[in-house]
Amino acid sequence: KITWKNIGGVIDLSFFLGDSPEEASQKYHQYIGGWALPALWHLGYHQTKFWGYRNVSHLATILGNFENASIPLDVLSSDLDYMRVAKNFVLDEDNFPPHETNALFQAHRKKWVPLIDSWIPYDRSFKDFDYDKIMTVTMKDEKGNTCVGDCLLGEMYLLDYLNPNIEPIWESLLEELNSEWTLSGFWLD
């Protein structure tokens, strides 16, 4: 029994009745349009460091230190240290060889979530990107010229995430990265 004494305003009530709590929850879920449940490790213990992971041996030491101290850890997140000269999508395979890096996280049963910036290096000498395709999805000024941004890492092409053609380009860059390193996810900066 519910008794309301209202002095003004509007109250919208929705009731979700079912033969069990699960059925009522399912009806609520349908009502709000559903949601994606995160993987359990998303809710676990995370270690994040802005700069400073030098190489795969350093990562091994950090993971080992957590285990030796009995400190729980589910996910290690890292900044652009694993990229050569911190250039987005330009992998530093000397300091973070993909096979060794993948084996390390598998051996320790941890997830790895590296940072990925939302731009493409301006300096084309770092990687053979398909710049013709990338230039179609960069931000443009009022005259239609490609915008070039600047950050502590140097000049970069700013990508236009409202452009409907960016999805396949961004997807291919992420797939290429994930084909080298088995990523649990990525931290978009």
Side-chain angles (χ1 to χ4, degrees):
K1 183 176 175 183
I2 298 175
T3 303
W4 293 93
K5 291 184 180 181
N6 214 2
I7 59 170
V10 176
I11 296 177
D12 291 323
L13 300 174
S14 298
F15 296 93
F16 306 96
L17 305 175
D19 293 331
S20 68
E22 289 81 15
E23 188 179 338
S25 294
Q26 288 171 352
K27 287 180 179 181
Y28 171 71
H29 188 258
Q30 289 171 343
Y31 176 77
I32 65 169
W35 68 82
L37 292 175
L40 189 56
W41 63 266
H42 290 176
L43 307 174
Y45 297 97
H46 291 248
Q47 165 63 32
T48 302
K49 181 176 176 89
F50 297 104
W51 297 103
Y53 294 139
R54 295 182 295 273
N55 52 41
V56 72
S57 299
H58 189 216
L59 291 177
T61 300
I62 291 165
L63 292 174
N65 287 345
F66 270 89
E67 289 175 6
N68 294 338
S70 298
I71 298 173
L73 178 68
D74 295 301
V75 182
L76 184 77
S77 296
S78 59
D79 210 326
L80 282 180
D81 307 80
Y82 73 102
M83 300 279 186
R84 189 162 45 95
V85 197
K87 297 294 183 187
N88 212 27
F89 293 107
V90 182
L91 309 176
D92 182 353
E93 295 186 17
D94 295 330
N95 290 311
F96 297 92
H99 178 72
E100 286 180 46
T101 306
N102 290 336
L104 172 69
F105 283 96
Q106 288 172 1
H108 286 273
R109 300 179 61 210
K110 304 297 180 218
K111 305 293 183 186
W112 185 33
V113 178
L115 178 136
I116 297 175
D117 280 317
S118 57
W119 49 264
I120 299 296
Y122 180 78
D123 184 349
R124 297 179 184 210
S125 67
F126 283 98
K127 183 176 172 96
D128 188 23
F129 287 109
D130 186 350
Y131 276 98
D132 290 337
K133 197 180 280 187
I134 289 171
M135 291 300 106
T136 67
V137 295
T138 56
M139 292 180 119
K140 309 285 192 254
D141 64 16
E142 67 279 356
K143 296 178 183 173
N145 299 319
T146 296
C147 294
V148 177
D150 193 28
C151 70
L152 67 110
L153 304 172
E155 292 182 312
M156 64 194 154
Y157 289 112
L158 303 170
L159 301 177
D160 179 4
Y161 286 94
L162 298 177
N163 186 320
N165 298 321
I166 197 167
E167 189 174 329
I169 294 169
W170 191 246
E171 184 178 313
S172 69
L173 291 168
L174 291 173
E175 283 178 358
E176 181 183 343
L177 181 63
N178 196 49
S179 72
E180 294 290 327
W181 275 291
T182 305
L183 307 177
S184 302
F186 64 89
W187 156 22
L188 183 62
D189 195 23

